[in-house]
Amino acid sequence: MVSLEQLRTYCMLVETGHFTRTAERLAMTQPGVSQHIRKLEQHYATVLLIREGKRFSLSEAGERVYQQARKTLDELGALEFQLSHDDPHSGKLRLASPGSLGLTLYPELLELQQRHPGLNVHYHFAPNHSIETMLGKRELDVGLMSREPRDASLQVERIATEALSLVVPASFSGSAWQELLALGFIDHPDGQLYASRLLAANYQEFSEFEQLTVSGFVNNISSILEPVSRGLGFTVVPKFAVDAFANQQALRVITLKQALAEPVLWVTRRHHPLASRFTTLKELLVAHFNASQQ
């Protein structure tokens, strides 16, 4: 096998053009330098150096080995520098959340990136099951979820809660079970999860999601409340989604006896330490949630 020491010796020799200078710079003996070059030539089964007395030139193979060796050493050097200089305000942030969280968090993350241009935010709006899948495939570093993942390779930390809201058109004056059934449900990727929890806690008549007549479906979080505002149905979404909706006067949030909140879970891969920039991210999120609940 080729060793990094042999590659370093070879690159230094090519760049100095001199065996003695290479030995001095690498604190080696000249025979040691020659031995490294000989092992490389044995490994590649070809001549790398064309010797002309005390001078040498590179063969075609020698030039190709040098170019690849220099690239490899430079990349490893850059990696070592990055690992030893873990900048809390630099690097890629790959995360995802359900849409309601994204509506309130994404602008905060853009402001963070404006303050620290070295950060590179990659944000995905996705339902819980998709976030869990993406974490398992290593397509994300952090997932913000509202339910516990099933994958045992993921670890969970609760960092906040997100209140659920039963939202109806402003023109709808009712709140009784039969009235809601007649109005119909506007579904969305997490609609069944949210509705089942909130309705079960507040309506004795509710037993399963299939009781509801689905009068529409939309997978864009910023559009879920649009059909509700037009009188086409009711829905259950986190409060953040309601707060972000522009046409507030077209909606009404029904006050329920049993308020419920979804957890905001910080989900990462177990045994996968994160860079310090994710500590910066978590501190920002926790501060944001604390401020929004005051």
Side-chain angles (χ1 to χ4, degrees), residues 69-110:
R70 174 43 58 203
K71 179 181 178 181
T72 299
L73 293 174
D74 288 346
E75 289 176 348
L76 287 173
L79 177 61
E80 290 176 5
F81 178 84
Q82 292 169 5
L83 294 177
S84 62
H85 295 76
D86 187 6
D87 188 344
H89 300 125
S90 180
K92 184 181 292 187
L93 293 170
R94 301 185 306 164
L95 70 157
S97 77
S100 58
L101 280 176
L103 289 176
T104 184
L105 294 181
Y106 188 53
E108 292 281 333
L109 295 179
L110 293 182

Side-chain angles (χ1 to χ4, degrees), residues 20-232:
T20 301
R21 290 200 198 104
T22 297
E24 290 172 350
R25 293 191 182 185
L26 296 178
M28 298 174 62
T29 63
Q30 189 168 328
V33 173
S34 297
Q35 184 182 48
H36 279 187
I37 304 306
R38 186 165 56 253
K39 287 186 176 180
L40 284 175
E41 291 183 324
Q42 290 172 352
H43 175 81
Y44 291 115
T46 189
V47 173
L48 302 180
L49 303 181
I50 300 172
R51 293 165 174 81
E52 303 165 353
K54 292 184 178 181
R55 302 173 65 84
F56 66 84
S57 60
L58 299 185
S59 66
E60 182 178 344
E63 180 62 32
R64 292 174 62 186
V65 170
Y66 169 72
Q67 294 297 335
Q68 182 59 57
R70 174 43 58 203
K71 179 181 178 181
T72 299
L73 293 174
D74 288 346
E75 289 176 348
L76 287 173
L79 177 61
E80 290 176 5
F81 178 84
Q82 292 169 5
L83 294 177
S84 62
H85 295 76
D86 187 6
D87 188 344
H89 300 125
S90 180
K92 184 181 292 187
L93 293 170
R94 301 185 306 164
L95 70 157
S97 77
S100 58
L101 280 176
L103 289 176
T104 184
L105 294 181
Y106 188 53
E108 292 281 333
L109 295 179
L110 293 182
E111 289 182 12
L112 179 67
Q113 186 171 354
Q114 285 179 304
R115 293 196 301 272
H116 305 288
L119 290 173
N120 190 337
V121 176
H122 290 238
Y123 201 100
H124 295 263
F125 291 73
N128 286 294
H129 67 273
S130 296
I131 295 172
E132 183 170 346
T133 299
M134 294 171 75
L135 282 166
K137 292 181 177 179
R138 299 178 178 270
E139 295 171 352
L140 297 173
D141 299 299
V142 174
L144 299 173
M145 299 176 60
S146 58
R147 66 156 174 79
E148 293 274 344
R150 299 179 178 87
D151 188 341
S153 70
L154 302 178
Q155 61 183 10
V156 177
E157 179 184 350
R158 183 176 179 142
I159 61 172
T161 58
E162 185 180 23
L164 291 178
S165 298
L166 176 57
V167 190
V168 297
S171 59
F172 179 77
S173 59
S175 62
W177 175 247
Q178 290 300 327
E179 292 172 316
L180 289 176
L181 287 183
L183 183 59
F185 184 74
I186 302 299
D187 200 7
H188 54 89
D190 283 317
Q192 182 169 346
L193 172 68
Y194 295 157
S196 296
R197 292 194 65 229
L198 191 62
L199 296 177
N202 287 279
Y203 292 91
Q204 293 181 347
E205 301 92 335
F206 179 85
S207 60
E208 60 183 1
F209 181 78
E210 284 67 26
Q211 290 175 267
L212 302 178
T213 298
V214 175
S215 55
F217 175 91
V218 61
N219 66 352
N220 184 337
I221 183 62
S222 61
S223 300
I224 290 173
L225 293 174
E226 185 63 32
V228 178
S229 73
R230 294 171 182 252
L232 299 176

